[in-house]
């Protein structure tokens, strides 16, 4: 088993449009969450790195979820700069050469390769021109990520068991799209908290079920209780 603090296994997705809203949520969540994901929406505020620094000052861990995709040299230089900021994870999305350049420049930063977004299903893959099912695509991309030296992958909980079986359980598996109950929103390939960890996920990313709760703090604490029961 990987050496991960149980309370760090919950990553809260700070998917809000303004930095002040993000800070307010972090303040509300207090000690119920230690790890935060900040993505593209907050990047557009112009205060992204101020927020990153603010989170680190509060002894929080940060997951930079910007899914870097460009020519390999550009991604490599970008990751090198990002590695100086103190984040824990960063996502990339691309081919073998891109992954290798990111790994070459990552320093202490852990690189996560995106396999297939949890908003995609079989029909979406047809539209994108992939002549394989989701599971095959995820396994193929995860194998490439492992060969390139990436620290882990972002993968639906539905596919994590196959990563452990067909790739390598050394890969960190971060599972987004977690829902406590069934839902009808834009995340299609989802699992609940306990299923994710029983399937082999190392971290889960939770957004709306916490953010939209009457008490975000209590919602996060409830999820932490479930996680604790899995280990």
């Amino acid at each position: 088993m990987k050496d991960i603090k149980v309370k760090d296994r919950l990553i809260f997705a700070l998917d809000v449009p303004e930095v002040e809203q993000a800070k307010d949520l972090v303040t509300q969540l207090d000690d119920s969450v230690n790890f935060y994901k900040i993505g593209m929406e907050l990047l557009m505020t112009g205060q992204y790195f101020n927020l990153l620094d603010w989170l680190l000052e509060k002894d929080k861990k940060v997951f930079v979820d910007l899914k870097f995709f460009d020519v390999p040299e550009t991604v490599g230089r970008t990751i090198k700069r990002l590695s100086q900021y103190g984040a824990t994870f960063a996502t990339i999305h691309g081919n073998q050469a891109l992954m290798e350049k990111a790994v070459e420049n990552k320093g202490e930063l852990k690189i996560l390769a995106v396999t297939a977004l949890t908003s995609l299903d079989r029909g979406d893959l047809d539209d994108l021109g992939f002549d394989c099912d989701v599971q095959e695509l995820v396994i193929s991309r995860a194998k490439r990520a492992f060969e390139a030296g990436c620290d882990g992958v972002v993968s639906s909980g539905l596919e994590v068991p196959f990563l452990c079986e067909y790739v390598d359980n050394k890969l960190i598996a971060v599972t987004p799209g977690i829902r406590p109950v069934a839902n009808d929103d834009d995340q299609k390939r989802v699992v609940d908290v306990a299923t994710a960890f029983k399937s082999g996920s190392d971290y889960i990313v939770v957004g709306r079920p916490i953010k939209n709760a009457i008490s975000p703090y209590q919602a996060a604490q409830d999820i932490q209780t479930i996680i604790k029961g899995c280990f």
Side-chain angles (χ1 to χ4, degrees), residues 18 90 131 154:
E18 302 297 338
D131 187 22
V154 178

Side-chain angles (χ1 to χ4, degrees), residues 147-215:
E147 290 165 5
C150 292
D151 298 282
V153 293
V154 178
S155 175
S156 162
L158 297 176
E159 284 93 38
V160 168
F162 301 103
L163 300 184
C164 298
E165 183 178 353
Y166 295 107
V167 188
D168 197 296
N169 60 13
K170 291 177 185 174
L171 275 177
I172 297 167
V174 178
T175 297
I178 296 293
R179 297 292 181 265
V181 294
N183 75 102
D184 58 359
D185 60 28
D186 62 353
Q187 300 285 9
K188 297 170 183 174
R189 294 178 5 265
V190 301
V191 295
D192 63 32
V193 176
T195 301
F197 287 110
K198 288 174 183 174
S199 298
S201 298
D202 297 301
Y203 297 85
I204 58 170
V205 180
V206 183
R208 281 170 278 195
I210 292 175
K211 182 179 72 174
N212 297 341
I214 294 171
S215 169

